[in-house]
Amino acid sequence: MANASGLVAPTVPSLKRRFSPPLGIYRSAFWFYDGVSRRALCFSAAQAAEKLSPAQPQSRRLVSKGCKLVGCGSAIPSIQISNDNLSEIVDTSDEWISVRTGIKNRSILSRQDSLTALATEAAQKALQMAEVEPNDVDLVLLCTSTPEDLFGSAPQIQKALGCGNNPLAYDITAACSGFLLGLVSAACYIRGGGFNNVLVIGADALSRYVDWKDRGSCILFGDAAGAVLLQSCDSEEDGLFAFDMHSDGEGQRHLKASMKEDKTDSELGTNGSLLGLLPKGSSSYSCIEMNGKEVFRFAVRVVPHSIELALEKAGLAVSDIDWLVLHQANQRIIDAVATRLEVPQERVISNLANYGNTSAASIPLALDEAVRSGKVRAGDTIATAGFGAGLTWGSAIVRWG
């Protein structure tokens, strides 16, 4: 069974006896833990068969393909809502919101706008920066909790991009942790599946699931899309140093948007007939329900610990980090995590004030702005972490470029 570090327990006794390092198999990929570099390496079954040949000496290190971040892009809707605008519809003020969250503005999609189009725009910018053609994309991962199709929106992005080779495209649903999970998934496809170019897109339109009369939640969320291109490289250039991921279903009650229960017609089911038990076929989800205090406590507790675990796996210290890029949920959370890790404020990237909480889009959106402004440069080491509904959380230590 795979654990949070990406390692898998040994399942083939003969291999376990032959090799002392931890080794495991997950579907068609083999995981190997390199005790020297302290990294989990993933490679295909074909690669593993060659590398685990009895003819090779036992001391030989296993080498897998690496991956690196080579392009990013973002897109935001044209409608901007300020704190003052919100004070016209709920009992709040710019000062009340700013002090408690750090948010000043947020952008939202209009009823005519499409999240798919926004995600496509972000993906196009990432491809342009990476100088990669759509036909060279091997996989599109859309990290979203608000798809415009129940069965997923990623294939529509693949179509809009003009990927003529019909690469696989699918959605990943993990709320505000979604982009991080997509990033790690992309790395696994490259390291173990032979993929060369993987688009990871974080895009959400939570404004469509906000109760605009609830000042506790409507002030927080905005819509956006961000994307990165992960590209294969030699293992020596690998840019994903380590990761750490978790979930805890017990915390679901603190942050959720559950399916609404449809009441069947009173005329149906009075005699216990099957017809009276069937859903009406108009299912929908409730608005976001959040216990802000509990989510705050959760985030400031688990996020620093997760980053510390990822750093330990990477063999790095906090002082090795050039930038801290967290999910942009609340400025108080960002500040608390930075303080716990002893990361100076000048090395913390935050654009929360301008966009609010954009869920899965927040990390790639912040990264894209930092790269295009010249703040983040090639070779910089970044500690990033996502956390949110599920409850889910995780972190990754990556190098840009």
Side-chain angles (χ1 to χ4, degrees):
M1 183 181 218
N3 63 25
S5 68
L7 304 181
V8 183
T11 57
V12 182
S14 61
L15 294 178
K16 182 177 179 181
R17 288 195 301 268
R18 189 178 301 153
F19 294 91
S20 57
L23 174 72
I25 303 173
Y26 179 69
R27 295 187 181 175
S28 62
F30 282 68
W31 285 96
F32 171 79
Y33 186 69
D34 183 348
V36 178
S37 65
R38 304 181 75 178
R39 295 188 194 175
L41 307 179
C42 177
F43 37 126
S44 67
Q47 292 171 318
E50 177 182 351
K51 296 180 183 299
L52 300 181
S53 170
Q56 303 214 2
Q58 180 177 348
S59 60
R60 186 164 192 149
R61 289 181 58 190
L62 302 180
V63 179
S64 76
K65 185 184 292 186
C67 58
K68 59 183 179 179
L69 293 161
V70 295
C72 58
S74 61
I76 58 173
S78 58
I79 299 177
Q80 188 177 86
I81 297 180
S82 67
N83 291 345
D84 289 332
N85 294 145
L86 287 178
S87 67
E88 298 175 5
I89 59 175
V90 292
D91 182 17
T92 190
S93 67
D94 176 55
E95 181 183 8
W96 193 91
I97 299 172
S98 300
V99 169
R100 288 164 176 77
T101 69
I103 300 170
K104 299 289 259 181
N105 297 287
R106 72 283 295 148
S107 298
I108 66 169
L109 289 167
S110 71
R111 295 179 181 179
Q112 291 74 37
D113 290 333
S114 163
L115 181 64
T116 301
L118 202 68
T120 300
E121 180 184 345
Q124 288 170 333
K125 292 177 180 178
L127 288 175
Q128 290 168 1
M129 179 183 289
E131 298 182 346
V132 170
E133 296 296 325
N135 283 343
D136 293 326
V137 173
D138 301 307
L139 175 65
V140 178
L141 299 176
L142 173 62
C143 310
T144 184
S145 298
T146 58
E148 293 173 326
D149 187 313
L150 176 64
F151 301 121
S153 296
Q156 293 305 306
I157 297 174
Q158 174 250 318
K159 173 186 175 183
L161 289 172
C163 302
N165 294 325
N166 296 326
L168 174 65
Y170 65 89
D171 290 14
I172 294 177
T173 302
C176 302
S177 304
F179 176 77
L180 186 72
L181 271 63
L183 190 67
V184 173
S185 298
C188 290
Y189 274 102
I190 290 174
R191 291 171 171 176
F195 289 53
N196 291 315
N197 295 297
V198 180
L199 264 174
V200 183
I201 307 165
D204 267 310
L206 289 181
S207 66
R208 295 172 174 174
Y209 297 90
V210 163
D211 180 355
W212 290 100
K213 296 180 181 179
D214 175 18
R215 76 168 185 171
S217 61
C218 74
I219 63 173
L220 299 174
F221 300 102
D223 305 335
V228 299
L229 185 81
L230 213 62
Q231 191 171 73
S232 64
C233 63
D234 292 336
S235 59
E236 292 79 8
E237 300 175 354
D238 186 31
L240 175 59
F241 299 145
F243 60 89
D244 176 76
M245 298 187 295
H246 303 272
S247 63
D248 178 11
E250 287 291 332
Q252 186 256 2
R253 64 187 184 277
H254 299 312
L255 180 54
K256 60 183 178 179
S258 304
M259 182 176 289
K260 293 180 180 178
E261 294 184 5
D262 292 323
K263 296 181 180 179
T264 56
D265 294 337
S266 58
E267 298 177 357
L268 299 177
T270 55
N271 60 354
S273 68
L274 175 61
L275 184 61
L277 301 176
L278 298 177
K280 295 174 65 175
S282 58
S283 298
S284 61
Y285 290 93
S286 67
C287 291
I288 297 171
E289 302 173 42
M290 183 177 67
N291 183 329
K293 291 183 180 180
E294 289 299 326
V295 173
F296 179 87
R297 293 191 186 103
F298 150 74
V300 298
R301 184 182 77 255
V302 304
V303 173
H305 182 57
S306 179
I307 292 175
E308 289 169 344
L309 288 175
L311 284 170
E312 182 180 357
K313 294 169 189 174
L316 298 175
V318 173
S319 58
D320 295 316
I321 298 173
D322 294 303
W323 302 103
L324 180 64
V325 184
L326 302 178
H327 164 52
Q328 308 286 296
N330 185 300
Q331 191 61 46
R332 292 192 301 160
I333 293 176
I334 296 173
D335 293 342
V337 172
T339 300
R340 163 82 177 270
L341 294 172
E342 298 183 352
V343 175
Q345 284 299 316
E346 59 268 23
R347 285 161 53 195
V348 179
I349 293 175
S350 174
N351 62 358
L352 176 70
N354 298 324
Y355 305 110
N357 182 344
T358 57
S359 191
S362 74
I363 293 175
L365 174 61
L367 175 64
D368 183 50
E369 286 197 342
V371 169
R372 293 180 185 274
S373 68
K375 183 177 289 187
V376 172
R377 300 182 180 182
D380 283 357
T381 299
I382 302 168
T384 183
F387 52 92
L391 294 171
T392 59
W393 69 97
S395 61
I397 312 300
V398 301
R399 179 173 57 220
W400 173 254

